[in-house]
Amino acid sequence: MAIISRGFGSRRREADPRLPPGQYLTQDFPVLSAGPTPKVSTDEWRFSLRTEKDVVTQWTWEEFHALGVETVNTDIHCVTRWSKLDTTWRGVSLDRVFADVDTDHAYAMIHSYGGYTTNVPMADLLGGKAWIAFEFDGAPLTPEHGGPARLLVPHLYFWKSAKWVRGIVMHKRDEPGFWEQNGYNMHGDPWSEERYW
Ligand SMILES: Nc1nc2c(c(=O)[nH]1)N[C@H]1C(S)=C(S)[C@@H](COP(=O)(O)O)O[C@H]1N2
Ligand SMILES: [Mo]
């Protein structure tokens, strides 16, 4: 005897395989900020990287772009369960940022103007997985979405994509950033639903 379950079958067909478990699709672009939006001009913007040797490399806006800007097409996933597919960004790959940086530490703490922090393992930043982005959808990033520049690490939940990014400090051990101190997962992989502790 054949058991036919039309409801189940059609729901399976509608589910987009790009959608991680527990997520729904959205067309708009929600704004989620834990505090006020800092105002940073591209003239005063600096990006700094500090290693365990206390060597600090600092780039201006122009110097940073000279590292090489590329276009990124990707899906993004917020832990509050919205996902947005096929977004387009422009930015500098973290591979370029770390190209001449000498570090043995396995963890990065991302720092933002305004004080936000988030921890990301180096394994999730290198290998074409993360960018410092300054354009979204063909236009400069708006301040509420992190302009002038934000981290984009789309294979992790979007709280890891720090807005108003200003630099990275290398760490030997994985230490919690802002949301991670407040109950969010240390890693944040949407495909295994690493949402909270
Ligand atoms: N500096 C900073 N970056 C941040 C946040 C924040 O509050 N401050 N919120 C995070 C969270 S929880 C999410 S979901 C995304 C939201 O980005 P959006 O406002 O561009 O959608 O930014 C992340 N980056
Ligand atoms: Mo979020």
Side-chain angles (χ1 to χ4, degrees):
M1 190 176 94
I3 299 166
I4 296 163
S5 169
R6 226 152 58 93
F8 185 67
S10 60
R11 210 165 350 133
R12 295 262 301 197
R13 267 197 304 279
E14 279 162 33
D16 194 306
R18 295 173 294 175
L19 203 55
Q23 297 291 112
Y24 67 86
L25 286 177
T26 183
Q27 300 302 326
D28 47 43
F29 196 177
V31 171
L32 281 128
S33 302
T37 296
K39 294 283 183 294
V40 186
S41 74
T42 56
D43 281 353
E44 63 189 329
W45 185 84
R46 296 289 182 277
F47 191 88
S48 318
L49 204 160
R50 187 160 88 227
T51 70
E52 60 269 33
K53 284 125 197 154
D54 259 336
V55 176
V56 179
T57 313
Q58 193 178 77
W59 293 266
T60 64
W61 186 252
E62 285 75 22
E63 289 164 348
F64 201 81
H65 282 64
L67 292 173
V69 182
E70 54 190 80
T71 301
V72 183
N73 279 289
T74 190
D75 307 333
I76 54 177
H77 314 287
C78 176
V79 72
T80 62
R81 297 186 183 276
W82 58 264
S83 288
K84 201 168 162 55
L85 303 182
D86 265 334
T87 58
T88 304
W89 307 76
R90 280 181 61 78
V92 173
S93 164
L94 271 285
D95 295 306
R96 302 281 187 124
V97 177
F98 278 93
D100 297 318
V101 172
D102 178 25
T103 178
D104 292 326
H105 282 181
Y107 298 95
M109 186 67 79
I110 317 297
H111 290 259
S112 294
Y113 289 98
Y116 186 86
T117 53
T118 189
N119 54 302
V120 185
M122 284 304 289
D124 289 282
L125 289 183
L126 299 182
K129 292 179 181 167
W131 296 265
I132 302 295
F134 17 72
E135 275 185 37
F136 172 77
D137 218 1
L141 258 187
T142 58
E144 64 266 27
H145 284 302
R150 78 182 296 165
L151 180 69
L152 175 65
V153 49
H155 73 288
L156 300 178
Y157 283 124
F158 214 35
W159 87 78
K160 298 287 185 181
S161 292
K163 305 196 277 189
W164 318 297
V165 70
R166 59 182 301 223
I168 295 176
V169 176
M170 299 308 300
H171 287 260
K172 189 183 174 74
R173 288 177 202 81
D174 200 9
E175 287 166 48
F178 173 76
W179 279 120
E180 294 83 4
Q181 288 169 36
N182 288 283
Y184 282 37
N185 192 275
M186 290 293 274
H187 186 225
D189 173 10
W191 295 96
S192 39
E193 291 204 70
E194 295 173 342
R195 296 175 188 277
Y196 310 106
W197 288 354

